[in-house]
Amino acid sequence: SSLLLMSAVVVAVGLCRRLTRRRLRSHPRLFAFLLEMFSTFQICACTNELSLLGNVEPKPHTALTLTYGFTVLHGLTLGGSTCNPCGTLQPMWGGGTSVRMGGLKIAAQFVAAVIARVFMHFIWSLEMAEPHFGALSQGCSSPMQTTEMQAFCIELLFSVVFQLAVLRAESVNPKYRVHLIALLITMLVYAGGNLTGAIFNPALAFSLHADCFYDKFLSYSLVYWIAPALGKFLTLCAF
Protein backbone atom coordinates (compact mmCIF):
# COMPACT_ATOMS: atom_id res chain seq x y z
CA SER A 1 0.00 0.00 0.00
CA SER A 2 2.84 2.40 0.82
CA LEU A 3 4.54 1.72 -2.51
CA LEU A 4 1.25 2.27 -4.36
CA LEU A 5 0.72 5.53 -2.48
CA MET A 6 4.18 6.85 -3.34
CA SER A 7 3.81 5.75 -6.96
CA ALA A 8 0.47 7.57 -7.15
CA VAL A 9 2.13 10.74 -5.82
CA VAL A 10 4.86 10.50 -8.48
CA VAL A 11 2.29 10.02 -11.27
CA ALA A 12 0.10 12.89 -10.02
CA VAL A 13 3.07 15.26 -9.74
CA GLY A 14 4.22 14.25 -13.22
CA LEU A 15 0.82 15.18 -14.64
CA CYS A 16 0.81 18.50 -12.76
CA ARG A 17 4.29 19.36 -14.01
CA ARG A 18 3.33 18.54 -17.59
CA LEU A 19 0.19 20.67 -17.36
CA THR A 20 2.20 23.53 -15.86
CA ARG A 21 4.71 23.39 -18.71
CA ARG A 22 1.96 23.44 -21.32
CA ARG A 23 -0.19 26.23 -19.89
CA LEU A 24 2.02 28.59 -17.87
CA ARG A 25 5.27 29.12 -19.76
CA SER A 26 4.13 32.63 -20.61
CA HIS A 27 3.97 33.45 -16.87
CA PRO A 28 7.58 32.81 -15.77
CA ARG A 29 7.17 33.54 -12.05
CA LEU A 30 4.05 31.45 -11.58
CA PHE A 31 5.58 28.76 -13.79
CA ALA A 32 8.75 28.61 -11.67
CA PHE A 33 6.81 28.67 -8.40
CA LEU A 34 4.42 25.85 -9.32
CA LEU A 35 7.09 23.67 -10.91
CA GLU A 36 9.27 23.91 -7.80
CA MET A 37 6.29 23.42 -5.50
CA PHE A 38 5.05 20.27 -7.25
CA SER A 39 8.55 18.78 -7.37
CA THR A 40 9.30 19.48 -3.71
CA PHE A 41 5.89 18.10 -2.76
CA GLN A 42 6.79 14.79 -4.41
CA ILE A 43 10.04 14.46 -2.48
CA CYS A 44 8.52 15.51 0.85
CA ALA A 45 5.42 13.33 0.54
CA CYS A 46 7.39 10.23 -0.49
CA THR A 47 10.02 10.76 2.21
CA ASN A 48 7.31 11.19 4.86
CA GLU A 49 5.95 7.79 3.84
CA LEU A 50 9.43 6.26 3.67
CA SER A 51 10.10 7.44 7.22
CA LEU A 52 7.39 5.04 8.41
CA LEU A 53 9.07 2.10 6.71
CA GLY A 54 12.38 2.31 8.57
CA ASN A 55 11.51 -0.62 10.82
CA VAL A 56 10.35 -2.95 8.05
CA GLU A 57 12.33 -6.19 8.07
CA PRO A 58 14.99 -6.88 7.07
CA LYS A 59 16.48 -3.77 8.67
CA PRO A 60 18.09 -1.60 7.39
CA HIS A 61 18.19 -3.21 3.96
CA THR A 62 14.57 -2.53 3.03
CA ALA A 63 14.69 1.15 4.01
CA LEU A 64 18.01 1.72 2.23
CA THR A 65 16.83 -0.05 -0.92
CA LEU A 66 13.67 2.07 -1.00
CA THR A 67 15.73 5.21 -0.36
CA TYR A 68 17.99 4.42 -3.31
CA GLY A 69 15.12 3.44 -5.60
CA PHE A 70 12.98 6.49 -4.94
CA THR A 71 15.97 8.85 -5.09
CA VAL A 72 16.68 7.54 -8.58
CA LEU A 73 13.01 7.95 -9.45
CA HIS A 74 13.02 11.55 -8.19
CA GLY A 75 16.14 12.28 -10.20
CA LEU A 76 14.59 10.89 -13.39
CA THR A 77 11.21 12.60 -13.02
CA LEU A 78 12.08 15.99 -11.49
CA GLY A 79 14.62 17.36 -13.93
CA GLY A 80 15.05 21.13 -13.78
CA SER A 81 13.98 21.44 -10.12
CA THR A 82 16.26 21.68 -7.10
CA CYS A 83 13.69 20.85 -4.36
CA ASN A 84 16.23 22.08 -1.82
CA PRO A 85 16.68 25.68 -0.61
CA CYS A 86 20.44 25.08 -0.43
CA GLY A 87 20.51 24.05 -4.08
CA THR A 88 18.64 27.23 -5.01
CA LEU A 89 21.40 29.32 -3.42
CA GLN A 90 23.96 28.26 -6.04
CA PRO A 91 22.48 30.04 -9.09
CA MET A 92 21.68 33.02 -6.87
CA TRP A 93 25.33 33.16 -5.76
CA GLY A 94 26.60 32.85 -9.33
CA GLY A 95 24.19 35.43 -10.72
CA GLY A 96 22.28 32.95 -12.86
CA THR A 97 19.08 33.57 -10.90
CA SER A 98 17.84 36.84 -9.47
CA VAL A 99 17.30 37.19 -5.74
CA ARG A 100 13.57 37.62 -6.35
CA MET A 101 13.27 34.43 -8.43
CA GLY A 102 15.46 32.49 -5.99
CA GLY A 103 13.37 33.67 -3.06
CA LEU A 104 10.22 32.67 -4.94
CA LYS A 105 11.55 29.14 -5.46
CA ILE A 106 12.57 28.81 -1.81
CA ALA A 107 9.11 29.97 -0.78
CA ALA A 108 7.61 27.35 -3.10
CA GLN A 109 9.74 24.66 -1.48
CA PHE A 110 8.56 25.48 2.02
CA VAL A 111 4.93 25.80 0.89
CA ALA A 112 5.26 22.34 -0.66
CA ALA A 113 6.81 21.00 2.56
CA VAL A 114 3.77 22.16 4.55
CA ILE A 115 1.26 20.88 1.98
CA ALA A 116 3.01 17.50 1.83
CA ARG A 117 2.92 17.18 5.61
CA VAL A 118 -0.79 18.06 5.78
CA PHE A 119 -1.57 15.70 2.90
CA MET A 120 0.34 12.78 4.40
CA HIS A 121 -1.23 13.31 7.81
CA PHE A 122 -4.64 13.11 6.15
CA ILE A 123 -3.65 9.88 4.39
CA TRP A 124 -2.28 8.42 7.61
CA SER A 125 -5.50 9.29 9.44
CA LEU A 126 -7.33 6.95 7.04
CA GLU A 127 -5.08 4.08 8.26
CA MET A 128 -5.07 2.34 4.89
CA ALA A 129 -1.81 0.52 5.59
CA GLU A 130 -0.27 -1.05 8.69
CA PRO A 131 2.59 1.49 8.98
CA HIS A 132 -0.05 4.25 9.24
CA PHE A 133 -1.51 2.91 12.48
CA GLY A 134 -0.50 5.29 15.26
CA ALA A 135 1.62 7.47 12.96
CA LEU A 136 -0.23 10.63 14.01
CA SER A 137 0.21 10.03 17.73
CA GLN A 138 4.02 10.21 17.68
CA GLY A 139 4.29 14.00 17.96
CA CYS A 140 7.92 15.09 17.76
CA SER A 141 9.66 11.88 16.74
CA SER A 142 13.07 13.50 17.04
CA PRO A 143 15.69 12.33 14.52
CA MET A 144 18.43 13.98 16.60
CA GLN A 145 19.95 11.16 18.63
CA THR A 146 23.18 12.91 19.60
CA THR A 147 24.28 16.24 21.01
CA GLU A 148 23.28 19.45 19.27
CA MET A 149 26.89 20.30 18.36
CA GLN A 150 27.58 16.83 16.95
CA ALA A 151 24.31 16.94 14.99
CA PHE A 152 25.27 20.36 13.60
CA CYS A 153 28.67 19.06 12.48
CA ILE A 154 27.17 15.95 10.90
CA GLU A 155 24.56 17.86 8.88
CA LEU A 156 27.21 20.43 7.90
CA LEU A 157 29.61 17.70 6.75
CA PHE A 158 26.92 15.79 4.86
CA SER A 159 25.78 18.98 3.15
CA VAL A 160 29.33 19.77 2.01
CA VAL A 161 29.88 16.22 0.74
CA PHE A 162 26.56 16.17 -1.08
CA GLN A 163 26.94 19.60 -2.68
CA LEU A 164 30.51 18.83 -3.78
CA ALA A 165 29.33 15.59 -5.34
CA VAL A 166 26.52 17.38 -7.18
CA LEU A 167 28.97 19.93 -8.59
CA ARG A 168 31.47 17.24 -9.61
CA ALA A 169 28.75 15.13 -11.21
CA GLU A 170 27.58 17.91 -13.54
CA SER A 171 29.89 16.61 -16.29
CA VAL A 172 28.63 13.01 -15.92
CA ASN A 173 26.06 11.58 -18.32
CA PRO A 174 22.61 12.29 -16.78
CA LYS A 175 21.52 8.63 -16.91
CA TYR A 176 24.52 7.71 -14.75
CA ARG A 177 24.45 10.87 -12.63
CA VAL A 178 21.12 10.06 -10.98
CA HIS A 179 22.46 6.69 -9.84
CA LEU A 180 25.66 8.23 -8.46
CA ILE A 181 23.73 10.86 -6.49
CA ALA A 182 21.22 8.25 -5.27
CA LEU A 183 24.05 5.98 -4.13
CA LEU A 184 25.71 8.84 -2.26
CA ILE A 185 22.45 9.82 -0.52
CA THR A 186 21.84 6.20 0.46
CA MET A 187 25.37 5.95 1.89
CA LEU A 188 24.91 9.16 3.87
CA VAL A 189 21.57 7.94 5.22
CA TYR A 190 23.24 4.67 6.27
CA ALA A 191 26.14 6.54 7.89
CA GLY A 192 24.19 9.19 9.78
CA GLY A 193 20.53 8.36 9.59
CA ASN A 194 20.48 6.98 13.13
CA LEU A 195 22.11 10.17 14.48
CA THR A 196 20.44 13.08 12.67
CA GLY A 197 18.29 11.54 9.96
CA ALA A 198 20.87 12.66 7.36
CA ILE A 199 18.44 15.15 5.80
CA PHE A 200 20.62 18.13 4.67
CA ASN A 201 17.55 19.75 3.08
CA PRO A 202 15.85 22.52 5.12
CA ALA A 203 12.45 22.18 3.42
CA LEU A 204 12.42 18.40 3.76
CA ALA A 205 13.50 18.62 7.40
CA PHE A 206 10.60 20.94 8.16
CA SER A 207 8.14 18.67 6.39
CA LEU A 208 9.36 15.59 8.27
CA HIS A 209 9.76 17.12 11.72
CA ALA A 210 7.66 20.27 11.95
CA ASP A 211 6.54 19.36 15.48
CA CYS A 212 10.16 19.33 16.61
CA PHE A 213 10.72 22.79 15.12
CA TYR A 214 7.73 24.04 17.12
CA ASP A 215 9.08 22.54 20.35
CA LYS A 216 12.78 23.36 19.94
CA PHE A 217 12.98 25.92 17.16
CA LEU A 218 16.46 27.30 17.86
CA SER A 219 18.04 23.86 18.18
CA TYR A 220 16.41 22.40 15.09
CA SER A 221 16.85 25.50 12.92
CA LEU A 222 20.57 25.46 13.81
CA VAL A 223 21.02 21.80 12.83
CA TYR A 224 18.59 21.43 9.91
CA TRP A 225 18.52 24.92 8.39
CA ILE A 226 21.72 26.77 9.21
CA ALA A 227 24.12 23.81 8.96
CA PRO A 228 23.05 22.77 5.41
CA ALA A 229 23.03 26.41 4.25
CA LEU A 230 26.51 26.98 5.72
CA GLY A 231 27.69 23.79 4.01
CA LYS A 232 26.43 25.12 0.70
CA PHE A 233 28.23 28.46 1.17
CA LEU A 234 31.47 26.70 2.09
CA THR A 235 31.18 24.64 -1.10
CA LEU A 236 30.55 27.72 -3.22
CA CYS A 237 33.49 29.53 -1.64
CA ALA A 238 35.73 26.53 -2.37
CA PHE A 239 34.86 26.84 -6.04
Side-chain angles (χ1 to χ4, degrees):
S1 298
S2 291
L3 292 178
L4 287 174
L5 172 61
M6 289 186 286
S7 299
V9 168
V10 172
V11 172
V13 167
L15 293 174
C16 290
R17 281 167 54 90
R18 180 175 296 181
L19 183 63
T20 300
R21 283 197 167 96
R22 286 182 177 179
R23 300 294 179 86
L24 296 174
R25 281 192 177 276
S26 58
H27 302 81
R29 291 181 184 175
L30 181 60
F31 172 77
F33 182 89
L34 290 178
L35 208 62
E36 198 66 36
M37 186 184 74
F38 289 137
S39 302
T40 307
F41 172 85
Q42 175 176 312
I43 288 181
C44 291
C46 290
T47 308
N48 267 278
E49 185 67 17
L50 282 173
S51 67
L52 299 182
L53 305 179
N55 294 321
V56 174
E57 296 292 345
K59 296 189 297 184
H61 305 85
T62 300
L64 292 175
T65 300
L66 290 173
T67 298
Y68 175 81
F70 273 90
T71 303
V72 171
L73 185 60
H74 295 325
L76 293 174
T77 59
L78 301 179
S81 299
T82 59
C83 309
N84 186 337
C86 297
T88 308
L89 294 175
Q90 181 178 343
M92 291 173 64
W93 178 275
T97 299
S98 67
V99 174
R100 179 175 296 180
M101 182 62 75
L104 189 68
K105 290 184 177 182
I106 291 175
Q109 291 157 1
F110 276 99
V111 168
V114 173
I115 295 175
R117 180 174 179 82
V118 172
F119 172 76
M120 292 309 299
H121 277 210
F122 169 73
I123 295 296
W124 294 344
S125 70
L126 302 178
E127 298 187 338
M128 296 185 298
E130 184 178 348
H132 299 172
F133 300 152
L136 296 179
S137 61
Q138 295 179 358
C140 172
S141 54
S142 176
M144 201 187 303
Q145 302 300 315
T146 183
T147 66
E148 183 178 306
M149 182 54 64
Q150 288 178 333
F152 176 87
C153 292
I154 291 171
E155 287 293 310
L156 174 64
L157 174 62
F158 283 6
S159 178
V160 169
V161 171
F162 175 72
Q163 299 297 341
L164 283 174
V166 170
L167 290 174
R168 291 294 187 183
E170 287 181 349
S171 59
V172 178
N173 188 307
K175 66 180 180 180
Y176 300 124
R177 185 192 309 152
V178 292
H179 291 279
L180 290 174
I181 297 300
L183 180 60
L184 174 62
I185 290 175
T186 304
M187 292 172 61
L188 293 177
V189 169
Y190 177 72
N194 62 324
L195 297 175
T196 66
I199 303 173
F200 45 90
N201 180 333
L204 178 59
F206 186 70
S207 184
L208 291 173
H209 306 291
D211 291 336
C212 299
F213 279 92
Y214 300 149
D215 293 343
K216 302 177 181 178
F217 177 78
L218 291 178
S219 176
Y220 273 75
S221 60
L222 177 68
V223 173
Y224 295 106
W225 288 354
I226 296 177
L230 179 59
K232 181 62 179 180
F233 278 119
L234 290 175
T235 305
L236 292 174
C237 290
F239 278 79

